[in-house]
Amino acid sequence: MGVAGSKLEKALGEQFPEGERYFGFENFGNTCYCNSVLQALYFCAPFREQLLDYYSTNNKSEEENHLLTCLADLFSQISGQKKKTGVIAPKRFVQRLKKQNVLFRSYMHQDAHEFLNYLLNELGDILEKEAKAAKTDNKTSSSPEKISNGPKLLQPNGAHKEPTVTWVHKIFQGILTNETRCLRCETVTARDETFLDLSLDIEQNSSITSCLKSFCSTETLHSEDKFFCDKCCSLQEAQKRMKIKKPPHILVIHLKRFKYIEQLGRYKKLSYRVVFPLELKLSNTVEDYADTEYSLFAVVVHLGNGPNYGHYVSLVKSHNHWLFFDDENVDMMEESAVQTFFGSSQECSSNTDHGYLLFYESLRTS
């Protein structure tokens, strides 16, 4: 990476952002899925900031060895480098990941979305446990006579207890509301659910906006799919739709490029052209968040024809420059080149490089 690193420094010259570091990650055989996602997360400003803050306040002994400390240690290593560019081996993090989850132990091609989903949920769980443990410690130390009641505070899903909202949730979590309207009595039943990313079905020659509209479109429930209305006390025809009740600060969109084909008896990669804009206006939200605007800052790209083989790279926007991260290699790229990863407008195409995970940051200040 010496030559590539100096090439990148030369390309940026005086425009090299002060205090920033651009480091590639060593690949341990099949860890491009991990490397590409970690690069996207490193250049997610609020996530990096919180993780480095966690590292500085929780830099404990080696006993505290979980995915969160391993990732915090990796990010701290990068940000603390004397050199501006180079290569780092995320060995400790990968070892911990494989030790903890059997899915990632094999040398088979892994799914970047599956890894991101697992990682964010795991980090959230660790932070929740630490917050509950800290709460217990505070209560027991301030009320020594109630020490015997301490363990009860650790019981999950206790009555009237609000779930702990960690900084991972504050950054990535949004809320969807599922509205069902009975067509007989017009009663609307709403059910909320949280999400850390949105998985969207894709169509040929479509856009993120049209995919989001399809995701939130109205569906009629009839025949064997009728809805049981509590007010009518019977099965009724109904209309169902999904709305975004609260958009997240960082919106992660997963394009469902791998589809199970019944006739083939296996998954197939959809190379459809799906346009993802650099600036996205999020409609299909409740009124409080109408037309929330987002800016694209990272894309995890899948290279290859099928779901069980291929390669992952990431495109990252840092200080108004776009960079191409391919494991150990980091290069400059033109902003206009991002569109080459939209997909193929024709089914038979040699282009196999397609956007898979999209990372958008909200421009909303409040």
Side-chain angles (χ1 to χ4, degrees):
M1 174 76 186
V3 177
S6 58
K7 185 181 164 188
L8 181 62
E9 285 185 55
K10 195 177 281 186
L12 282 165
E14 291 181 3
Q15 288 185 298
F16 202 106
E18 194 175 339
E20 192 57 274
R21 299 290 178 264
Y22 298 131
F23 275 69
F25 289 147
E26 189 179 322
N27 188 323
F28 302 108
N30 73 325
T31 53
C32 59
Y33 71 92
C34 173
N35 291 348
S36 56
V37 168
L38 293 187
Q39 293 291 7
L41 290 175
Y42 185 79
F43 291 97
C44 174
F47 182 79
R48 188 206 303 191
E49 196 177 294
Q50 288 286 352
L51 197 59
L52 291 177
D53 183 57
Y54 176 87
Y55 182 79
S56 63
T57 54
N58 293 272
N59 196 3
K60 299 173 188 172
S61 66
E62 285 297 310
E63 290 173 26
E64 293 291 330
N65 188 24
H66 45 56
L67 273 185
L68 184 57
T69 51
C70 291
L71 187 59
D73 180 55
L74 175 64
F75 277 28
S76 177
Q77 274 185 59
I78 300 166
S79 64
Q81 289 290 324
K82 288 181 181 177
K83 290 182 179 179
K84 292 180 178 180
T85 58
V87 179
I88 277 184
K91 195 171 184 181
R92 186 180 165 212
F93 176 83
V94 172
Q95 281 178 339
R96 183 68 211 178
L97 175 70
K98 291 187 175 186
K99 183 179 180 182
Q100 203 161 307
N101 192 323
V102 67
L103 286 175
F104 302 110
R105 276 180 212 164
S106 77
Y107 283 90
M108 300 277 287
H109 184 66
Q110 302 290 343
D111 188 288
H113 173 243
E114 205 169 88
F115 165 65
L116 173 66
N117 209 278
Y118 172 73
L119 179 62
L120 293 182
N121 277 293
E122 184 62 25
L123 299 186
D125 286 349
I126 293 167
L127 289 168
E128 276 183 23
K129 284 173 189 168
E130 290 185 352
K132 283 179 183 176
K135 216 179 212 180
T136 306
D137 288 345
N138 289 339
K139 289 223 174 185
T140 53
S141 60
S142 60
S143 309
E145 71 280 4
K146 292 184 181 179
I147 284 178
S148 60
N149 296 328
K152 291 179 184 176
L153 296 168
L154 294 175
Q155 289 175 0
N157 304 320
H160 308 112
K161 280 185 183 171
E162 288 294 315
T164 306
V165 179
T166 71
W167 52 260
V168 169
H169 296 102
K170 284 177 182 174
I171 293 170
F172 293 99
Q173 186 171 275
I175 301 173
L176 292 169
T177 187
N178 202 330
E179 294 180 350
T180 308
R181 182 168 64 91
C182 173
L183 292 178
R184 184 183 175 207
C185 69
E186 298 291 319
T187 300
V188 176
T189 306
R191 182 172 54 84
D192 290 351
E193 58 185 86
T194 58
F195 67 92
L196 294 176
D197 64 71
L198 284 181
S199 288
L200 302 181
D201 287 310
I202 60 174
E203 298 291 337
Q204 178 59 289
N205 294 320
S206 59
S207 67
I208 292 300
T209 306
S210 63
C211 292
L212 282 166
K213 279 182 181 170
S214 295
F215 179 79
C216 298
S217 62
T218 301
E219 176 191 354
T220 301
L221 304 175
H222 53 82
S223 304
E224 65 271 15
D225 293 327
K226 281 183 181 177
F227 168 72
F228 185 88
C229 176
D230 288 336
K231 191 168 182 181
C232 298
C233 294
S234 60
L235 290 168
Q236 296 294 336
E237 289 192 352
Q239 284 185 331
K240 187 174 84 167
R241 69 170 177 174
M242 193 83 82
K243 282 176 88 173
I244 298 169
K245 187 174 181 179
K246 187 183 177 187
H249 180 58
I250 299 295
L251 173 65
V252 181
I253 293 176
H254 161 233
L255 301 180
K256 292 181 172 179
R257 288 206 174 271
F258 305 117
K259 186 178 181 181
Y260 187 77
I261 309 296
E262 290 279 351
Q263 300 93 311
L264 300 175
R266 60 179 170 83
Y267 281 89
K268 180 192 174 188
K269 183 180 178 184
L270 305 176
S271 59
Y272 299 159
R273 178 179 168 82
V274 182
V275 175
F276 46 89
L278 298 177
E279 304 296 326
L280 175 69
K281 201 170 258 192
L282 199 63
S283 54
N284 310 102
T285 58
V286 296
E287 287 175 18
D288 290 356
Y289 298 96
D291 294 328
T292 302
E293 290 186 75
Y294 284 89
S295 179
L296 184 73
F297 70 88
V299 182
V300 171
V301 174
H302 181 266
L303 284 61
N305 288 312
N308 300 317
Y309 51 90
H311 185 54
Y312 287 104
V313 297
S314 49
L315 324 175
V316 166
K317 187 179 184 181
S318 169
H319 303 272
N320 293 317
H321 297 288
W322 278 92
L323 299 163
F324 183 87
F325 285 84
D326 181 0
D327 289 332
E328 293 92 342
N329 301 305
V330 189
D331 293 299
M332 289 277 292
M333 66 178 282
E334 294 294 326
E335 184 175 87
S336 58
V338 173
Q339 63 188 310
T340 61
F341 299 96
F342 288 166
S344 317
S345 55
Q346 296 170 336
E347 200 58 45
C348 298
S349 171
S350 58
N351 177 15
T352 63
D353 309 349
H354 312 116
Y356 184 50
L357 300 175
L358 313 174
F359 293 76
Y360 285 92
E361 181 166 15
S362 172
L363 300 176
R364 191 183 176 105
T365 51
S366 57

